[in-house]
Amino acid sequence: MFGDFETEFFLDIFNILDDQAVVEEEQLVAGSGTFAFGEAKDWVEPRRFYLGAKVLF
């Protein structure tokens, strides 16, 4: 606490191990025109950090 201000700091970490696993594969047997059947088309987002602060007065 600084004077009449109350502060709060925070850090959010997502995907801390940076796992790039497949989340979704193409399910259409004929494919979608972009992805072939069984091909990965969505992955876990890469590691990211959010640093923030909140001040109450």
Side-chain angles (χ1 to χ4, degrees):
M1 187 156 172
F2 302 105
D4 291 337
F5 298 100
E6 184 178 330
T7 58
E8 180 180 318
F9 299 96
F10 59 90
L11 173 67
D12 291 331
I13 305 172
F14 298 94
N15 195 7
I16 194 165
L17 299 176
D18 201 25
D19 180 22
Q20 296 294 302
V22 173
V23 175
E24 185 178 0
E25 296 177 349
E26 179 60 57
Q27 297 177 5
L28 300 173
V29 174
S32 63
T34 305
F35 300 99
F37 176 71
E39 186 178 358
K41 65 180 199 178
D42 194 17
W43 297 264
V44 174
E45 291 189 29
R47 180 185 309 130
R48 57 200 187 279
F49 303 90
Y50 295 98
L51 177 63
K54 182 166 75 171
V55 179
L56 301 172
F57 52 94

